[in-house]
Amino acid sequence: MDASELVPGDIVLVQSGDKVPVDLRLVQLRYIRVDESASTEESVAEVKNTKPVPEDVMIGDQFCLGFSSTLGTYGQSRGTVIGTGDNTEVGKIQKSIAVA
């Protein structure tokens, strides 16, 4: 399925080498690591988990979420779509830059 056809609630599988197509809430995983350096400037891939975090936590500390345009570097995960297009974290950043 093409990423442009995904909607909130769909289930997406991500494994090492995959680009995360949309924002996901991770619901099942096998030791997934994700390179989020484009949005967090972290130099090391993040180990993800399924434990919920408070809403006001910075993007780099939201370990239970997978973000659009990041790259799976190790392991596998399954997540529920929570944001697409302009409603992803990357989309929000692009909109804020366009306004500035």
Side-chain angles (χ1 to χ4, degrees), residues 10-78:
D10 285 346
I11 302 295
V12 175
L13 305 175
V14 177
Q15 59 187 8
S16 58
D18 290 348
K19 181 177 174 185
V20 179
V22 294
D23 285 359
L24 303 169
R25 175 162 314 283
L26 302 176
V27 295
Q28 187 178 38
L29 51 89
R30 278 172 118 186
Y31 196 73
I32 186 80
R33 285 180 164 268
V34 179
D35 179 353
E36 298 178 336
S37 59
S39 56
T40 65
E41 299 180 5
E42 294 287 331
S43 60
V44 177
E46 294 289 338
V47 176
K48 296 296 191 166
N49 62 53
T50 58
K51 297 175 188 168
V53 295
E55 287 185 29
D56 60 346
V57 172
M58 293 179 59
I59 190 170
D61 295 327
Q62 295 180 2
F63 300 114
C64 61
L65 301 179
F67 298 103
S68 175
S69 301
T70 60
L71 181 68
T73 61
Y74 186 85
Q76 300 172 335
S77 68
R78 181 181 309 241

